[in-house]
Amino acid sequence: MVDVRLEGLSKRHGGSEILRDISLEIGDGEFVVLVGPSGCGKSTLLRLIAGLDQVSAGDIFMAGRRINDLPPAKRGIAMVFQSYALYPHMSARRNMAFGLRAAKLDRAQIERRVDEAARILQLEDLLERRPAALSGGQRQRVAIGRAIVREPDLFLFDEPLSNLDAGLRVDTRLEIARLHRLLKATILYVTHDQAEAMTLADRIVVMNDGRIEQTGTPTELYAGPENLFVAGFIGSPKMNFIAGAQAARLDAATLGVRPEHLKISLSKGSWSGTVQMVEHLGSDSFVHVECPGTGLLVARERGDRELAAGQSVHLAPESGRLLRFDDSGKRI
Amino acid sequence: MSIALTGHAVERGREGPGRPPRRVLALFLLPAVAVYSVFSIYPLLATIALSTRKTNAAGLSEFAGLANFIRLFFDPNWSDAFWNALANNTLFFVIHMAVQNPIAIALAALLSLPGLRARAFYRTAIFLPATLSVVIVGFVWQLILSPLWGVSEGLMSAVGLGGWFAPWLGREGSALVVLSLMSVWQFVGIPMLLIHAALINIPDDLTDAALVDGAGHWRIFWTIKLPLVAPTIGLVSILTFVGNFNAFDLIYAVKGALAGPNFSTDILGTFFYRTFFGHQLQAGDPAMGAAVATVMFVIILAGVAVYLLAFQRRLKGSNP
Ligand SMILES: Nc1ncnc2c1ncn2[C@@H]1O[C@H](COP(=O)(O)OP(=O)(O)OP(=O)(O)O)[C@@H](O)[C@H]1O
Ligand SMILES: [Mg+2]
């Protein structure tokens, strides 16, 4: 396993700049998750690191060595694609052995590594099947198996769980977390899913429009977003934003407060309004309150609190939980 | 049709009220079945029936059982020509398979290279001969290869290969090979297009995954792309097989019905033509001709059956 360093990476396709000045360091054995809206360049970044596309500017280092000009085969990187990209005419075993055969390993060693990976991923009974005869989750595991048998220095995952149903997603997420501990692998992982990002990551990188907005541990990003984009992107339901005169009174352009930091009171509070809707999730409820002059605020409440649409309530932020942002969206 | 959507109709299953009655189905099938019967089934059966008859001394047609076939296979008057035509036809097919498929695959692979310029031009240019008449192709190549006024001897001399030139089309040993290559030249565009279409249908992700897995382009071609276009190659092969064992026009256009020199380019199509219609001193014999046609039909049927059983079943096995 090695550390990876990106310095000022840029990528342009035709006239449009898809990645701008991306710099990032990934420590040895670190699990870094890349999040960002669709089209912000996450896959493009992975392809640059894997060597499938050439960078327009900047450098990529692995273990201190510049690898810009190495072909994909020589980089010691394994990639798991969103579509799995399993070879349809080969059995699961042959799929997993493909890279090892290309590397001209001897037969016994290939056999041993494939069996070992199959054991870790619980694929032993499925090795002779072709991808068409496997379920989505099983294909997914074969794709991961194909990556781990090569014992690469770096794993790249491009939204590997997005084709799975919710239950399987949670299982596979735990599986990947377990693999990371077991293999002590360096991993760069792309996802759209908040829960995946928060639970898996040692560090999260938030991207937007070809740039890195902020990098930090999940708790850092959650508690201390540096700008409006990160504040709004991380956390579900989204952070409440309040602009206008109320923000100006606190010397800010926008105020932000997370739903769980808004207290609902029947008697007093900073904002008063009417309950529009209550979303019951069991343990919690999301209470949508329309506050005249402020807008719609969402508060998170314990699930057993009885609130009904049409009720008049007051909302107040917990002390010290109000975030302030200036006109450019930067946190103050 | 809304009835078909209710649970009630679903319970009744296939005979439910949502399905049109059988009489209506029969009505819609009738035109196709009628045309197919009149123009395909009937002539086929009539040919087979005709192959079992012969003309007796009184000039009347009578049932002869398999006598025509026995004559065809064993009577030296017929069998020499028949086995010669069958052997030539087999060689004709083998040359097509051995030359046309590799060239078509190579051209298709070149056509699907990323970053190739003027792709449409190459594709059209290579496909163009397939749109020409066989007669024109035969005539043009005859002109090119002619030892009297052809350009090939001059061209070969110009690059120092003049000594290698021979009137290939006129020699017993090479005429059939040259004719096969002419046919390959004409039709290679069709398999090329089919294989090209199959190649560009392979998702880019697969090649990307293989590249990251450490495979080179050569290995990716052999282990990923070629196996994935194998069904198309199988299809091309069976089309070639059917086309080759039904071939007639090119030989007739270049060599005439006698398929010279000395029958060295005689294939089943030309043999059938002389047998059925007669040629010069040979009188036409419709019953023998029908026997030859029946043998051709059986050969093609056998080839297609092998293809369907072997190839299609393997395909099904891969996508259950
Ligand atoms: N070959 C290309 N030519 C031109 N533009 C491209 C090309 N490939 C990608 N792009 C553009 O680059 C941008 C980033 O694409 P990319 O696939 O990296 O997004 P992404 O962050 O992975 O999105 P998603 O989450 O939807 O997968 C997109 O706007 C896309 O249109
Ligand atoms: Mg993507």
Side-chain angles (χ1 to χ4, degrees), chain B residues 192-240:
Chain B
M192 178 197 72
L193 278 192
L194 291 172
I195 295 168
H196 176 56
L199 276 177
I200 56 180
N201 256 333
I202 298 175
D204 287 342
D205 266 6
L206 286 188
T207 13
D208 285 346
L211 277 174
V212 175
D213 259 351
H217 288 282
W218 200 239
R219 187 182 192 88
I220 290 175
F221 180 77
W222 284 106
T223 58
I224 310 269
K225 295 200 167 167
L226 202 56
L228 289 178
V229 299
T232 307
I233 295 172
L235 180 74
V236 163
S237 302
I238 194 65
L239 289 177
T240 306

Side-chain angles (χ1 to χ4, degrees), chain B residues 58-243:
Chain B
L60 295 173
S61 174
E62 63 178 24
F63 182 72
L66 294 177
N68 288 337
F69 293 96
I70 292 169
R71 273 207 293 165
L72 191 61
F73 296 149
F74 304 112
D75 176 353
N77 288 330
W78 288 99
S79 64
D80 287 353
F82 169 74
W83 294 116
N84 172 52
L86 184 59
N88 286 343
N89 214 148
T90 307
L91 182 65
F92 192 63
F93 170 62
V94 168
I95 292 174
H96 272 84
M97 291 295 286
V99 180
Q100 174 189 275
N101 285 358
I103 292 180
I105 293 167
L107 287 174
L110 289 176
L111 262 192
S112 39
L113 281 182
L116 177 73
R117 285 157 193 243
R119 195 186 309 267
F121 168 76
Y122 292 124
R123 204 167 44 202
T124 313
I126 296 168
F127 187 73
L128 208 58
T131 65
L132 296 177
S133 157
V134 173
V135 180
I136 294 172
V137 170
F139 185 62
V140 167
W141 274 103
Q142 236 177 329
L143 285 182
I144 292 174
L145 295 174
S146 161
L148 294 180
W149 4 265
V151 293
S152 44
E153 185 169 14
L155 284 177
M156 288 181 71
S157 306
V159 294
L161 292 174
W164 292 70
F165 180 81
W168 291 293
L169 261 180
R171 292 196 166 175
E172 267 189 54
S174 58
L176 183 62
V177 176
V178 173
L179 281 167
S180 308
L181 294 179
M182 281 160 54
S183 164
V184 168
W185 174 85
Q186 180 176 15
F187 290 115
V188 74
I190 294 172
M192 178 197 72
L193 278 192
L194 291 172
I195 295 168
H196 176 56
L199 276 177
I200 56 180
N201 256 333
I202 298 175
D204 287 342
D205 266 6
L206 286 188
T207 13
D208 285 346
L211 277 174
V212 175
D213 259 351
H217 288 282
W218 200 239
R219 187 182 192 88
I220 290 175
F221 180 77
W222 284 106
T223 58
I224 310 269
K225 295 200 167 167
L226 202 56
L228 289 178
V229 299
T232 307
I233 295 172
L235 180 74
V236 163
S237 302
I238 194 65
L239 289 177
T240 306
F241 178 80
V242 174

Side-chain angles (χ1 to χ4, degrees), chain A residues 47 83 86-87 89 130 150, chain B residues 205-206 208 212-213 223 318:
Chain A
R47 292 177 60 84
S83 63
L86 295 178
Y87 313 124
H89 56 296
R130 294 199 179 180
R150 292 183 41 224
Chain B
D205 266 6
L206 286 188
D208 285 346
V212 175
D213 259 351
T223 58
S318 67

